[in-house]
PDB file of all heavy atoms in Angstrom:
ATOM      1  N   GLU A  17      -7.925  15.601  -8.590  1.00  0.00           N
ATOM      2  CA  GLU A  17      -8.845  14.806  -9.422  1.00  0.00           C
ATOM      3  C   GLU A  17      -8.123  13.817 -10.336  1.00  0.00           C
ATOM      4  O   GLU A  17      -8.753  12.940 -10.932  1.00  0.00           O
ATOM      5  CB  GLU A  17      -9.739  15.723 -10.263  1.00  0.00           C
ATOM      6  CG  GLU A  17      -9.016  16.615 -11.260  1.00  0.00           C
ATOM      7  CD  GLU A  17      -8.666  17.987 -10.689  1.00  0.00           C
ATOM      8  OE1 GLU A  17      -8.561  18.124  -9.453  1.00  0.00           O
ATOM      9  OE2 GLU A  17      -8.486  18.920 -11.495  1.00  0.00           O
ATOM     10  N   ASN A  18      -6.809  13.953 -10.461  1.00  0.00           N
ATOM     11  CA  ASN A  18      -6.032  13.033 -11.300  1.00  0.00           C
ATOM     12  C   ASN A  18      -5.360  11.924 -10.491  1.00  0.00           C
ATOM     13  O   ASN A  18      -4.584  11.143 -11.034  1.00  0.00           O
ATOM     14  CB  ASN A  18      -4.950  13.792 -12.073  1.00  0.00           C
ATOM     15  CG  ASN A  18      -5.550  14.743 -13.107  1.00  0.00           C
ATOM     16  OD1 ASN A  18      -6.755  14.743 -13.338  1.00  0.00           O
ATOM     17  ND2 ASN A  18      -4.706  15.553 -13.714  1.00  0.00           N
ATOM     18  N   ILE A  19      -5.647  11.884  -9.191  1.00  0.00           N
ATOM     19  CA  ILE A  19      -5.068  10.864  -8.319  1.00  0.00           C
ATOM     20  C   ILE A  19      -6.167   9.899  -7.892  1.00  0.00           C
ATOM     21  O   ILE A  19      -7.166  10.305  -7.290  1.00  0.00           O
ATOM     22  CB  ILE A  19      -4.430  11.505  -7.065  1.00  0.00           C
ATOM     23  CG1 ILE A  19      -3.357  12.523  -7.473  1.00  0.00           C
ATOM     24  CG2 ILE A  19      -3.840  10.433  -6.159  1.00  0.00           C
ATOM     25  CD1 ILE A  19      -2.761  13.292  -6.302  1.00  0.00           C
ATOM     26  N   HIS A  20      -5.999   8.629  -8.234  1.00  0.00           N
ATOM     27  CA  HIS A  20      -7.026   7.619  -7.952  1.00  0.00           C
ATOM     28  C   HIS A  20      -6.410   6.493  -7.127  1.00  0.00           C
ATOM     29  O   HIS A  20      -5.425   5.884  -7.548  1.00  0.00           O
ATOM     30  CB  HIS A  20      -7.597   7.070  -9.256  1.00  0.00           C
ATOM     31  CG  HIS A  20      -8.030   8.137 -10.219  1.00  0.00           C
ATOM     32  ND1 HIS A  20      -9.241   8.782 -10.128  1.00  0.00           N
ATOM     33  CD2 HIS A  20      -7.382   8.688 -11.275  1.00  0.00           C
ATOM     34  CE1 HIS A  20      -9.340   9.680 -11.096  1.00  0.00           C
ATOM     35  NE2 HIS A  20      -8.222   9.646 -11.815  1.00  0.00           N
ATOM     36  N   LEU A  21      -7.013   6.222  -5.987  1.00  0.00           N
ATOM     37  CA  LEU A  21      -6.532   5.148  -5.118  1.00  0.00           C
ATOM     38  C   LEU A  21      -7.325   3.877  -5.363  1.00  0.00           C
ATOM     39  O   LEU A  21      -8.537   3.914  -5.610  1.00  0.00           O
ATOM     40  CB  LEU A  21      -6.641   5.568  -3.653  1.00  0.00           C
ATOM     41  CG  LEU A  21      -5.923   6.874  -3.270  1.00  0.00           C
ATOM     42  CD1 LEU A  21      -6.098   7.163  -1.787  1.00  0.00           C
ATOM     43  CD2 LEU A  21      -4.445   6.813  -3.647  1.00  0.00           C
ATOM     44  N   GLN A  22      -6.620   2.740  -5.294  1.00  0.00           N
ATOM     45  CA  GLN A  22      -7.234   1.428  -5.526  1.00  0.00           C
ATOM     46  C   GLN A  22      -8.033   1.421  -6.845  1.00  0.00           C
ATOM     47  O   GLN A  22      -9.186   1.003  -6.908  1.00  0.00           O
ATOM     48  CB  GLN A  22      -8.115   1.029  -4.345  1.00  0.00           C
ATOM     49  CG  GLN A  22      -7.351   0.778  -3.056  1.00  0.00           C
ATOM     50  CD  GLN A  22      -6.302  -0.334  -3.230  1.00  0.00           C
ATOM     51  OE1 GLN A  22      -6.607  -1.457  -3.643  1.00  0.00           O
ATOM     52  NE2 GLN A  22      -5.044  -0.005  -2.930  1.00  0.00           N
ATOM     53  N   GLU A  23      -7.373   1.885  -7.894  1.00  0.00           N
ATOM     54  CA  GLU A  23      -7.998   2.007  -9.211  1.00  0.00           C
ATOM     55  C   GLU A  23      -7.973   0.673  -9.958  1.00  0.00           C
ATOM     56  O   GLU A  23      -6.903   0.106 -10.208  1.00  0.00           O
ATOM     57  CB  GLU A  23      -7.258   3.058 -10.040  1.00  0.00           C
ATOM     58  CG  GLU A  23      -7.770   3.235 -11.447  1.00  0.00           C
ATOM     59  CD  GLU A  23      -9.123   3.939 -11.501  1.00  0.00           C
ATOM     60  OE1 GLU A  23      -9.588   4.414 -10.451  1.00  0.00           O
ATOM     61  OE2 GLU A  23      -9.688   4.020 -12.607  1.00  0.00           O
ATOM     62  N   PRO A  24      -9.150   0.114 -10.327  1.00  0.00           N
ATOM     63  CA  PRO A  24      -9.182  -1.153 -11.078  1.00  0.00           C
ATOM     64  C   PRO A  24      -8.489  -0.997 -12.434  1.00  0.00           C
ATOM     65  O   PRO A  24      -8.868  -0.135 -13.228  1.00  0.00           O
ATOM     66  CB  PRO A  24     -10.683  -1.425 -11.243  1.00  0.00           C
ATOM     67  CG  PRO A  24     -11.355  -0.603 -10.191  1.00  0.00           C
ATOM     68  CD  PRO A  24     -10.504   0.620 -10.038  1.00  0.00           C
ATOM     69  N   MET A  25      -7.502  -1.845 -12.692  1.00  0.00           N
ATOM     70  CA  MET A  25      -6.758  -1.742 -13.946  1.00  0.00           C
ATOM     71  C   MET A  25      -7.498  -2.351 -15.131  1.00  0.00           C
ATOM     72  O   MET A  25      -7.106  -2.153 -16.277  1.00  0.00           O
ATOM     73  CB  MET A  25      -5.386  -2.392 -13.777  1.00  0.00           C
ATOM     74  CG  MET A  25      -4.439  -1.588 -12.890  1.00  0.00           C
ATOM     75  SD  MET A  25      -4.147   0.085 -13.517  1.00  0.00           S
ATOM     76  CE  MET A  25      -3.200  -0.291 -15.012  1.00  0.00           C
ATOM     77  N   ALA A  26      -8.574  -3.075 -14.851  1.00  0.00           N
ATOM     78  CA  ALA A  26      -9.373  -3.633 -15.952  1.00  0.00           C
ATOM     79  C   ALA A  26      -9.901  -2.532 -16.857  1.00  0.00           C
ATOM     80  O   ALA A  26     -10.114  -2.753 -18.056  1.00  0.00           O
ATOM     81  CB  ALA A  26     -10.527  -4.455 -15.390  1.00  0.00           C
ATOM     82  N   GLY A  27     -10.100  -1.334 -16.300  1.00  0.00           N
ATOM     83  CA  GLY A  27     -10.573  -0.218 -17.109  1.00  0.00           C
ATOM     84  C   GLY A  27      -9.484   0.496 -17.879  1.00  0.00           C
ATOM     85  O   GLY A  27      -9.761   1.443 -18.622  1.00  0.00           O
ATOM     86  N   HIS A  28      -8.242   0.033 -17.730  1.00  0.00           N
ATOM     87  CA  HIS A  28      -7.117   0.707 -18.367  1.00  0.00           C
ATOM     88  C   HIS A  28      -6.266  -0.231 -19.221  1.00  0.00           C
ATOM     89  O   HIS A  28      -5.120   0.100 -19.543  1.00  0.00           O
ATOM     90  CB  HIS A  28      -6.245   1.373 -17.298  1.00  0.00           C
ATOM     91  CG  HIS A  28      -6.985   2.377 -16.466  1.00  0.00           C
ATOM     92  ND1 HIS A  28      -7.343   3.630 -16.948  1.00  0.00           N
ATOM     93  CD2 HIS A  28      -7.470   2.305 -15.200  1.00  0.00           C
ATOM     94  CE1 HIS A  28      -8.002   4.287 -15.994  1.00  0.00           C
ATOM     95  NE2 HIS A  28      -8.090   3.506 -14.940  1.00  0.00           N
ATOM     96  N   THR A  29      -6.802  -1.395 -19.560  1.00  0.00           N
ATOM     97  CA  THR A  29      -6.097  -2.321 -20.458  1.00  0.00           C
ATOM     98  C   THR A  29      -7.059  -2.785 -21.543  1.00  0.00           C
ATOM     99  O   THR A  29      -8.272  -2.889 -21.309  1.00  0.00           O
ATOM    100  CB  THR A  29      -5.568  -3.567 -19.711  1.00  0.00           C
ATOM    101  OG1 THR A  29      -6.666  -4.415 -19.356  1.00  0.00           O
ATOM    102  CG2 THR A  29      -4.789  -3.185 -18.465  1.00  0.00           C
ATOM    103  N   THR A  30      -6.527  -3.076 -22.716  1.00  0.00           N
ATOM    104  CA  THR A  30      -7.384  -3.545 -23.803  1.00  0.00           C
ATOM    105  C   THR A  30      -7.846  -4.981 -23.577  1.00  0.00           C
ATOM    106  O   THR A  30      -8.787  -5.432 -24.235  1.00  0.00           O
ATOM    107  CB  THR A  30      -6.656  -3.443 -25.156  1.00  0.00           C
ATOM    108  OG1 THR A  30      -5.421  -4.178 -25.098  1.00  0.00           O
ATOM    109  CG2 THR A  30      -6.358  -1.993 -25.504  1.00  0.00           C
ATOM    110  N   PHE A  31      -7.215  -5.711 -22.661  1.00  0.00           N
ATOM    111  CA  PHE A  31      -7.694  -7.037 -22.258  1.00  0.00           C
ATOM    112  C   PHE A  31      -8.960  -6.924 -21.407  1.00  0.00           C
ATOM    113  O   PHE A  31      -9.688  -7.890 -21.234  1.00  0.00           O
ATOM    114  CB  PHE A  31      -6.625  -7.762 -21.430  1.00  0.00           C
ATOM    115  CG  PHE A  31      -5.942  -8.884 -22.134  1.00  0.00           C
ATOM    116  CD1 PHE A  31      -4.559  -9.019 -22.057  1.00  0.00           C
ATOM    117  CD2 PHE A  31      -6.650  -9.828 -22.857  1.00  0.00           C
ATOM    118  CE1 PHE A  31      -3.901 -10.074 -22.683  1.00  0.00           C
ATOM    119  CE2 PHE A  31      -6.007 -10.891 -23.490  1.00  0.00           C
ATOM    120  CZ  PHE A  31      -4.631 -11.003 -23.398  1.00  0.00           C
ATOM    121  N   ARG A  32      -9.183  -5.720 -20.812  1.00  0.00           N
ATOM    122  CA  ARG A  32     -10.268  -5.492 -19.855  1.00  0.00           C
ATOM    123  C   ARG A  32     -10.124  -6.422 -18.648  1.00  0.00           C
ATOM    124  O   ARG A  32     -11.095  -6.972 -18.142  1.00  0.00           O
ATOM    125  CB  ARG A  32     -11.641  -5.673 -20.528  1.00  0.00           C
ATOM    126  CG  ARG A  32     -11.885  -4.670 -21.650  1.00  0.00           C
ATOM    127  CD  ARG A  32     -12.000  -3.261 -21.083  1.00  0.00           C
ATOM    128  NE  ARG A  32     -12.126  -2.239 -22.133  1.00  0.00           N
ATOM    129  CZ  ARG A  32     -11.158  -1.424 -22.499  1.00  0.00           C
ATOM    130  NH1 ARG A  32      -9.965  -1.507 -21.923  1.00  0.00           N
ATOM    131  NH2 ARG A  32     -11.335  -0.513 -23.420  1.00  0.00           N
ATOM    132  N   ILE A  33      -8.885  -6.576 -18.202  1.00  0.00           N
ATOM    133  CA  ILE A  33      -8.544  -7.476 -17.104  1.00  0.00           C
ATOM    134  C   ILE A  33      -7.559  -6.758 -16.189  1.00  0.00           C
ATOM    135  O   ILE A  33      -6.712  -6.000 -16.662  1.00  0.00           O
ATOM    136  CB  ILE A  33      -7.888  -8.776 -17.630  1.00  0.00           C
ATOM    137  CG1 ILE A  33      -8.893  -9.606 -18.441  1.00  0.00           C
ATOM    138  CG2 ILE A  33      -7.313  -9.618 -16.497  1.00  0.00           C
ATOM    139  CD1 ILE A  33      -8.260 -10.799 -19.141  1.00  0.00           C
ATOM    140  N   GLY A  34      -7.644  -7.021 -14.891  1.00  0.00           N
ATOM    141  CA  GLY A  34      -6.625  -6.515 -13.972  1.00  0.00           C
ATOM    142  C   GLY A  34      -7.207  -5.992 -12.679  1.00  0.00           C
ATOM    143  O   GLY A  34      -8.214  -5.276 -12.670  1.00  0.00           O
ATOM    144  N   GLY A  35      -6.559  -6.345 -11.569  1.00  0.00           N
ATOM    145  CA  GLY A  35      -6.978  -5.886 -10.255  1.00  0.00           C
ATOM    146  C   GLY A  35      -6.556  -4.445 -10.010  1.00  0.00           C
ATOM    147  O   GLY A  35      -6.040  -3.765 -10.895  1.00  0.00           O
ATOM    148  N   PRO A  36      -6.754  -3.954  -8.782  1.00  0.00           N
ATOM    149  CA  PRO A  36      -6.520  -2.532  -8.485  1.00  0.00           C
ATOM    150  C   PRO A  36      -5.048  -2.166  -8.304  1.00  0.00           C
ATOM    151  O   PRO A  36      -4.273  -2.921  -7.723  1.00  0.00           O
ATOM    152  CB  PRO A  36      -7.283  -2.318  -7.176  1.00  0.00           C
ATOM    153  CG  PRO A  36      -7.242  -3.661  -6.512  1.00  0.00           C
ATOM    154  CD  PRO A  36      -7.334  -4.670  -7.619  1.00  0.00           C
ATOM    155  N   ALA A  37      -4.694  -0.996  -8.805  1.00  0.00           N
ATOM    156  CA  ALA A  37      -3.389  -0.409  -8.511  1.00  0.00           C
ATOM    157  C   ALA A  37      -3.524   0.408  -7.241  1.00  0.00           C
ATOM    158  O   ALA A  37      -4.547   1.066  -7.020  1.00  0.00           O
ATOM    159  CB  ALA A  37      -2.930   0.486  -9.659  1.00  0.00           C
ATOM    160  N   ASP A  38      -2.497   0.390  -6.397  1.00  0.00           N
ATOM    161  CA  ASP A  38      -2.544   1.171  -5.165  1.00  0.00           C
ATOM    162  C   ASP A  38      -2.853   2.632  -5.451  1.00  0.00           C
ATOM    163  O   ASP A  38      -3.649   3.266  -4.764  1.00  0.00           O
ATOM    164  CB  ASP A  38      -1.200   1.077  -4.427  1.00  0.00           C
ATOM    165  CG  ASP A  38      -1.009  -0.270  -3.744  1.00  0.00           C
ATOM    166  OD1 ASP A  38      -1.995  -1.011  -3.612  1.00  0.00           O
ATOM    167  OD2 ASP A  38       0.137  -0.556  -3.353  1.00  0.00           O
ATOM    168  N   CYS A  39      -2.211   3.156  -6.481  1.00  0.00           N
ATOM    169  CA  CYS A  39      -2.408   4.572  -6.838  1.00  0.00           C
ATOM    170  C   CYS A  39      -2.243   4.728  -8.339  1.00  0.00           C
ATOM    171  O   CYS A  39      -1.331   4.142  -8.934  1.00  0.00           O
ATOM    172  CB  CYS A  39      -1.401   5.447  -6.094  1.00  0.00           C
ATOM    173  SG  CYS A  39      -1.551   7.215  -6.437  1.00  0.00           S
ATOM    174  N   PHE A  40      -3.135   5.482  -8.960  1.00  0.00           N
ATOM    175  CA  PHE A  40      -3.136   5.685 -10.408  1.00  0.00           C
ATOM    176  C   PHE A  40      -3.120   7.191 -10.655  1.00  0.00           C
ATOM    177  O   PHE A  40      -4.033   7.914 -10.248  1.00  0.00           O
ATOM    178  CB  PHE A  40      -4.400   5.053 -11.000  1.00  0.00           C
ATOM    179  CG  PHE A  40      -4.481   5.055 -12.500  1.00  0.00           C
ATOM    180  CD1 PHE A  40      -4.089   3.940 -13.235  1.00  0.00           C
ATOM    181  CD2 PHE A  40      -4.970   6.159 -13.179  1.00  0.00           C
ATOM    182  CE1 PHE A  40      -4.191   3.932 -14.623  1.00  0.00           C
ATOM    183  CE2 PHE A  40      -5.058   6.158 -14.561  1.00  0.00           C
ATOM    184  CZ  PHE A  40      -4.671   5.039 -15.282  1.00  0.00           C
ATOM    185  N   LEU A  41      -2.058   7.665 -11.316  1.00  0.00           N
ATOM    186  CA  LEU A  41      -1.900   9.101 -11.589  1.00  0.00           C
ATOM    187  C   LEU A  41      -2.100   9.391 -13.068  1.00  0.00           C
ATOM    188  O   LEU A  41      -1.418   8.814 -13.922  1.00  0.00           O
ATOM    189  CB  LEU A  41      -0.507   9.585 -11.186  1.00  0.00           C
ATOM    190  CG  LEU A  41      -0.047   9.431  -9.737  1.00  0.00           C
ATOM    191  CD1 LEU A  41       1.312  10.084  -9.562  1.00  0.00           C
ATOM    192  CD2 LEU A  41      -1.059  10.039  -8.781  1.00  0.00           C
ATOM    193  N   GLU A  42      -3.019  10.302 -13.382  1.00  0.00           N
ATOM    194  CA  GLU A  42      -3.179  10.784 -14.749  1.00  0.00           C
ATOM    195  C   GLU A  42      -2.309  12.032 -14.900  1.00  0.00           C
ATOM    196  O   GLU A  42      -2.615  13.084 -14.321  1.00  0.00           O
ATOM    197  CB  GLU A  42      -4.635  11.137 -15.032  1.00  0.00           C
ATOM    198  CG  GLU A  42      -5.608   9.991 -14.904  1.00  0.00           C
ATOM    199  CD  GLU A  42      -7.031  10.469 -15.104  1.00  0.00           C
ATOM    200  OE1 GLU A  42      -7.650  10.906 -14.113  1.00  0.00           O
ATOM    201  OE2 GLU A  42      -7.518  10.424 -16.258  1.00  0.00           O
TER     202      GLU A  42
END
Side-chain angles (χ1 to χ4, degrees):
E17 62 268 24
N18 293 353
I19 302 175
H20 310 279
L21 304 181
Q22 294 301 305
E23 177 72 8
M25 289 301 292
H28 301 286
T29 72
T30 56
F31 253 135
R32 297 293 175 255
I33 293 172
D38 285 346
C39 181
F40 186 96
L41 301 185
E42 299 176 273

